Amino acid sequence: MHLASRCLMTMMVLGAAAWANAAAATSTLQNITYKNLPGGRVEVRMSFDSSQVPHPNIFTTDNPPRIAIDFPDTTNDAARHQDIGIGTTTGVSAVSAGGRTRVVVELMQASAYKSHVEGNSLVLDVNNGTQTQPVTTAATIDPSKALPSAMSGPAILNIDFQRGSNGSGRVLVNFNGSGANANMHRQGNNIGVDIDNVQLPAAQAQRLNVLDFATPVQSISPRSTPNGAHLDIAFSGDVDTSSYQTASQYVIEVTPKKASSKDTNPGSFAQPVYTGSRVTFNFQDIPVRSALQLLADVSGLNLVASDTVGGSVTLRLVNVPWDQALDVILRAKNLDKRRDGNVIWIAPQKELADYEQNIADARFKAEDTAPLVTTYVPISYGKAADIAKLLTTGSMTGINGGGGVGSGEAQAHRGFLSPRGSVTFDQRTNTLLINDTAEKTAELRGIISQLDRPVQQVLIESRIVIATDDFERDLGVQWGVTGNRTNPSGQVLQVGSAVGGTQGNNTTTSTLGGGLTTGGLNVNLPAAPTTGTASTLAAAILGKNYALDLELSAAQAEGRSEVVSSPRVITANQQEADIRQGQEIGYVTFQNTAGGAGASGTATVAFKDAVLELKVTPTITADNRVYLAINVNKDSLDHYITVTGSGQVPVIDTRSLNTSVLVDDGQTVVLGGIYEVTKSDTINKVPGLGDIPGLGFLFRSTQHVNDRDELLIFVTPRILSDSLQ
């Protein structure tokens, strides 16, 4: 027989002990017969000796697939088991205990069924699978022969909904007493729950929309039925369904299926994730020790129950993992469990707590009497003094190149040491000296091995790029006209003035040679470039009584430069590194200058730094990224300024960046950049004449400047492997 079938039969046999004291039966199940129907269907007929069929309670299970019918106040004279082997129906079993009889129809797979009463027989029509007819979970009884219901059972206090930690939806139906009989069945994307012998108040017969909880459950629709209440639970997705019942509560859990869920959820308050094989039990006042034995058979583990475990439990479990069923029973009876390998020990919570406290007390007493041993631990990568501080919170003093922590009970805080332990260190050999018990010494060695490790190192490469682009264009003109005329009376009329020549009483001399030396410049607007010199083009026209001088000057300058600085440095994790390169520029200052002319005070030489500096502190993260706190400076000498009485003082051109950034290993990132553009257009002209179209250039000079400066700073961190360290 299948294992699940044996478990179900064992449950029924054990349940017989709990039902032994029930009221005397009033009906007898005389026999069970079956016959083959078309399409592989099977008709199972249960005949009784009385004229009326006892009111049946029918429910189904999915694992294993079964149809169970309970008849109250009934004894059994039918065969305990019959093999059928038609369609999906493999057999039928009947067992009686405590005045109640249960008939179990064994199936190969879940199948739909119908039931009705014919005379003194209950007829169950079982389909060949679930595809031909809709599932009917409650007995369909002829109204004329149905037993009246007194509806004297408990009332439903409320219907609540909760979201589980694993994304499951939990429907909680709470009763104001015991006696409710709930059965769950699933069809497509809907779960039906029939609750017999209960009363549903009108205030609770309202549809609940639970979409906001983000679980597979969509809605809950309760309604009253002649025998009690019915719940329709709509859900979506691929899910597992389970339910369990205690005396005053019925819980339906809808859990989304996952690829694997072997561990419990993290967090000290997280709910466990159950992974055991699913079982279906119906316990009515069954002894707790018998229920635990059933779970031990299903789980395959060794279960040891304390002598103080006793009492009975009543609950219904439908398609519930066995480990969750075990926890439900333990909570109901204030029990707890401890697992060691494949052995589970179950005892009352106080008994387990007392046992563990006794174990802890015995361990403390053993530590108080254990002999002390002395161990020498050489430190390779760290400092023995630093590790000694981590191992204890007591005070340490250095003695002759060493230090230590005194032993004894005087120190309240011992850190990782036992109350009688002590640790000292020798700076010369970088060695720890530990005096403690053997067990504590082995523990300290493990801690020290984790602390005494080489620190990872980081190579930081930086590039500072300064690019400049200069452009300047200058145009200018100089010209002049000179002349003279002698009138008949002998007077000389002169226009212009002599420049660079000699002038007599009645003569003017103009000289051309090398450059142009003109007499009488009417327009003097030459090109004046800020860098370099201008090129000139000169022309002159000399007449008998006049001279025309013209000089054109022009200059154009273009310049491009790029300065690349690439400092790099290696440092340990979380250790600051600083690298500098440049010069100190000295200058002289004077103090206490005397008031007399030509006197000077005390000369003092001062310095200013003009250096390239990289200062960085790297921190390696757990995912092998690098967090950099970085400071970059790039200074250079720009020019000198003259200070009266103090000589010349240098002016430093400074570029700096101070930031923090998170970078991947080997990734290059631009930390920052500055882009400067300088544009200027200057025109010098003779008012009015410089604006004449065409000829205006003879009366003006122009200057056009377009300069661009760009600063970029790059950084690349690289975590060095152990082979490079």
Side-chain angles (χ1 to χ4, degrees):
M1 186 180 297
H2 193 272
L3 175 61
S5 301
R6 292 200 302 269
C7 292
L8 187 59
M9 292 299 297
T10 305
M11 179 197 68
M12 292 188 294
V13 172
L14 292 174
W19 296 335
N21 296 325
T26 59
S27 300
T28 301
L29 177 61
Q30 292 182 329
N31 58 65
I32 301 175
T33 60
Y34 67 91
K35 67 179 179 178
N36 189 7
L37 299 178
R41 294 183 295 120
V42 177
E43 180 188 276
V44 180
R45 181 179 295 268
M46 291 153 278
S47 301
F48 297 85
D49 61 347
S50 60
S51 59
Q52 285 188 338
V53 176
H55 183 73
N57 180 22
I58 306 177
F59 63 94
T60 62
T61 63
D62 293 333
N63 187 18
R66 297 288 186 267
I67 301 173
I69 308 101
D70 281 347
F71 297 99
D73 301 331
T74 304
T75 59
N76 178 39
D77 284 345
R80 293 179 59 87
H81 180 75
Q82 298 182 56
D83 291 327
I84 297 178
I86 300 174
T88 59
T89 307
T90 60
V92 60
S93 302
V95 64
S96 178
R100 180 180 299 188
T101 297
R102 171 169 293 183
V103 178
V104 178
V105 180
E106 302 163 3
L107 306 172
M108 297 179 60
Q109 67 181 58
S111 303
Y113 67 90
K114 285 185 177 181
S115 61
H116 63 279
V117 174
E118 292 184 2
N120 63 342
S121 299
L122 176 65
V123 180
L124 192 69
D125 189 356
V126 183
N127 289 344
N128 184 15
T130 60
Q131 67 277 12
T132 57
Q133 288 182 335
V135 176
T136 304
T137 59
T140 304
I141 302 176
D142 187 352
S144 62
K145 298 183 179 181
L147 296 177
S149 175
M151 293 298 294
S152 59
I156 296 178
L157 289 177
N158 59 65
I159 301 174
D160 197 5
F161 184 81
Q162 296 177 354
R163 186 182 189 275
S165 59
N166 56 351
S168 63
R170 304 180 66 201
V171 181
L172 296 86
V173 183
N174 298 304
F175 311 106
N176 63 356
S178 59
N181 188 13
N183 297 298
M184 181 188 72
H185 57 86
R186 175 177 171 180
Q187 182 179 8
N189 288 342
N190 188 77
I191 298 174
V193 180
D194 293 315
I195 309 177
D196 296 338
N197 195 33
V198 296
Q199 303 174 28
L200 179 64
Q204 300 297 328
Q206 299 179 3
R207 185 177 183 272
L208 303 179
N209 190 329
V210 294
L211 285 173
D212 293 340
F213 287 86
T215 69
V217 180
Q218 307 292 305
S219 62
I220 306 168
S221 303
R223 69 175 188 273
S224 297
T225 63
N227 296 327
H230 178 82
L231 272 69
D232 286 319
I233 303 173
F235 66 90
S236 63
D238 192 9
V239 300
D240 286 326
T241 59
S242 61
S243 65
Y244 63 88
Q245 181 179 351
T246 61
S248 60
Q249 188 181 65
Y250 182 68
V251 179
I252 306 101
E253 186 165 0
V254 182
T255 306
K257 289 186 177 180
K258 297 182 179 179
S260 61
S261 56
K262 297 182 179 180
D263 302 325
T264 58
N265 292 334
S268 56
F269 299 101
Q271 298 182 359
V273 176
Y274 299 105
T275 59
S277 59
R278 295 181 176 271
V279 296
T280 298
F281 292 144
N282 185 4
F283 296 150
Q284 299 290 334
D285 291 330
I286 188 173
V288 173
R289 303 179 71 89
S290 300
L292 295 177
Q293 183 60 46
L294 281 176
L295 294 176
D297 293 340
V298 174
S299 64
L301 300 176
N302 299 313
L303 189 146
V304 179
S306 172
D307 293 339
T308 54
V309 175
S312 300
V313 63
T314 298
L315 70 161
R316 182 188 300 273
L317 304 172
V318 180
N319 199 28
V320 176
W322 70 263
D323 45 356
Q324 183 180 7
L326 177 61
D327 284 350
V328 170
I329 296 175
L330 297 182
R331 286 197 300 268
K333 305 303 292 184
N334 291 326
L335 302 175
D336 205 349
K337 66 178 185 295
R338 297 293 184 268
R339 180 168 179 172
D340 184 8
N342 65 343
V343 178
I344 299 178
W345 177 31
I346 296 176
Q349 296 176 356
K350 186 178 185 306
E351 183 177 334
L352 286 176
D354 293 342
Y355 170 78
E356 292 173 346
Q357 183 62 45
N358 293 335
I359 294 295
D361 293 342
R363 184 173 64 251
F364 292 145
K365 290 181 180 179
E367 290 180 357
D368 292 340
T369 58
L372 301 179
V373 295
T374 301
T375 305
Y376 305 93
V377 182
I379 304 301
S380 300
Y381 303 102
K383 293 183 179 180
D386 294 338
I387 295 180
K389 291 180 182 179
L390 294 175
L391 295 179
T392 179
T393 57
S395 61
M396 291 186 294
T397 57
I399 302 175
N400 296 329
V405 178
S407 62
E409 300 291 342
Q411 296 176 359
H413 301 285
R414 304 300 305 162
F416 293 94
L417 303 176
S418 68
R420 297 184 298 140
S422 64
V423 58
T424 61
F425 61 89
D426 180 57
Q427 292 181 352
R428 183 177 58 85
T429 60
N430 203 33
T431 302
L432 284 177
L433 291 80
I434 301 174
N435 186 33
D436 213 323
T437 63
E439 180 181 359
K440 181 61 69 172
T441 300
E443 179 183 338
L444 293 175
R445 279 186 174 274
I447 296 174
I448 294 171
S449 65
Q450 295 295 322
L451 298 176
D452 188 24
R453 289 186 174 184
V455 179
Q456 286 185 287
Q457 298 184 94
V458 182
L459 170 65
I460 297 100
E461 298 178 283
S462 179
R463 294 181 185 274
I464 305 170
V465 181
I466 303 174
T468 60
D469 190 353
D470 302 330
F471 176 82
E472 180 179 352
R473 177 181 293 161
D474 294 85
L475 296 175
V477 64
Q478 291 177 285
W479 63 272
V481 177
T482 61
N484 57 62
R485 180 181 179 183
T486 303
N487 59 14
S489 63
Q491 293 179 332
V492 179
L493 300 178
Q494 183 174 333
V495 179
S497 60
V499 179
T502 60
Q503 181 177 343
N505 293 330
N506 54 5
T507 61
T508 301
T509 304
S510 295
T511 303
L512 289 174
L516 175 63
T517 303
T518 65
L521 291 177
N522 299 103
V523 177
N524 186 12
L525 297 173
T530 57
T531 59
T533 58
S535 299
T536 60
L537 177 63
I541 300 176
L542 302 177
K544 177 180 179 181
N545 297 320
Y546 66 91
L548 175 61
D549 301 324
L550 176 64
E551 180 180 288
L552 299 176
S553 59
Q556 179 170 318
E558 296 184 20
R560 293 183 180 180
S561 66
E562 185 175 288
V563 179
V564 179
S565 304
S566 182
R568 62 176 62 187
V569 64
I570 296 178
T571 183
N573 184 29
Q574 297 184 346
Q575 296 295 320
E576 184 183 65
D578 187 5
I579 184 172
R580 293 162 53 96
Q581 184 267 332
Q583 59 182 344
E584 290 185 342
I585 301 174
Y587 59 97
V588 179
T589 61
F590 296 91
Q591 298 178 353
N592 302 323
T593 303
S600 62
T602 304
T604 304
V605 179
F607 294 90
K608 282 191 175 183
D609 291 338
V611 298
L612 168 64
E613 182 179 20
L614 172 64
K615 187 182 295 184
V616 60
T617 303
T619 300
I620 301 175
T621 63
D623 56 352
N624 276 342
R625 305 171 76 185
V626 183
Y627 178 81
L628 296 175
I630 190 168
N631 187 1
V632 181
N633 284 327
K634 178 65 173 70
D635 300 337
S636 61
L637 176 64
D638 189 19
H639 62 280
Y640 286 90
I641 59 174
T642 301
V643 179
T644 304
S646 297
Q648 291 184 324
V649 179
V651 176
I652 306 299
D653 189 5
T654 299
R655 299 173 178 88
S656 65
L657 181 142
N658 189 357
T659 186
S660 299
V661 63
L662 181 63
V663 189
D664 291 335
D665 181 21
Q667 179 186 8
T668 300
V669 63
V670 180
L671 293 182
I674 299 175
Y675 185 74
E676 294 180 292
V677 177
T678 302
K679 291 184 179 181
S680 66
D681 290 292
T682 304
I683 300 177
N684 296 318
K685 61 184 178 180
V686 177
L689 298 179
D691 298 326
I692 298 175
L695 296 178
F697 77 95
L698 295 175
F699 302 96
R700 66 174 179 258
S701 66
T702 61
Q703 183 183 55
H704 175 70
V705 178
N706 188 356
D707 296 339
R708 290 179 294 177
D709 294 333
E710 187 173 6
L711 170 66
L712 293 175
I713 301 176
F714 304 85
V715 66
T716 304
R718 302 183 190 276
I719 301 175
L720 301 182
S721 61
D722 294 338
S723 59
L724 297 178
Q725 295 180 21

